[in-house]
Amino acid sequence: MNYDLELSKEVFTHYINNEIGQNKTCKACRAYALQRGRNVSNGPIPMFHIGSEYAGAQKKVLILGTVAYGWKEELTSSFFDANKQTRQENLGDTITVIEERIDILYHETNGMRYFKFIKMCAEAIHGDSNAYSKIAISNLLKCNNGEVRNYNLQKTFDFCIREEHTGNMIQDIKTLNPTHIILLSGDYTKYGRYANLFIEMGFKTKMVPHPSSSVEGRLNERVQEIVTFINE
């Protein structure tokens, strides 16, 4: 098993105990989005992947995308909609389904550029083919409706990240305690505030343009930027 089930459960505990996805703050977030023609009904997905060797790695790198895409076809309502007890009882299965799906996406030769880039970064950082077991992958926004493009509102991210709302991302980072955070977006206007928040928390953080917005020929250059940052 190339993922850390126990650390994953620790991360997910915040979502279960605080009824993330179902509590008043989450309902207010969804209502706010719907009033403005957006939909964040699908989720939350706390983590994509926590490697089995991540916790003991010298370089604990957390790679963050911006949004979690749709999972309705892969996950049942046992995590999205059920009560706390049912969510807890099904937690191991939920994590396994997510991890198995991400494992496929990460290792597909002709898969999504997002995961291709993460694989390039992981292997460059750790220098071996087992690098997948040493990284963690997540997103700033935990809910989405499966749209390929990120059209979510700034306040939607605030709801999901900032401590005065749900504090989801803040709690994730405290639990994972990474040595480095890589935020895959070049949109400093929208996401720079979160990178700065992580820096204020004491975590080394770097923003790099999302691989889907980078021309193929520049991916190696982006990887080298990250490696240089990690080794500073």
Side-chain angles (χ1 to χ4, degrees), residues 73-90:
E73 294 181 3
E74 286 83 12
L75 287 176
T76 68
S77 61
S78 63
F79 190 75
F80 288 138
D81 307 318
N83 61 36
K84 291 169 70 172
Q85 181 178 344
T86 303
R87 282 176 129 183
Q88 190 66 55
E89 290 172 350
N90 288 278

Side-chain angles (χ1 to χ4, degrees), residues 51-96:
S52 58
E53 298 180 43
Y54 168 84
Q58 183 178 7
K59 299 169 183 175
K60 297 195 295 183
V61 181
L62 169 62
I63 301 174
L64 296 176
T66 52
V67 300
Y69 297 138
W71 284 80
K72 278 294 186 183
E73 294 181 3
E74 286 83 12
L75 287 176
T76 68
S77 61
S78 63
F79 190 75
F80 288 138
D81 307 318
N83 61 36
K84 291 169 70 172
Q85 181 178 344
T86 303
R87 282 176 129 183
Q88 190 66 55
E89 290 172 350
N90 288 278
L91 182 53
D93 290 340
T94 298
I95 292 168
T96 297

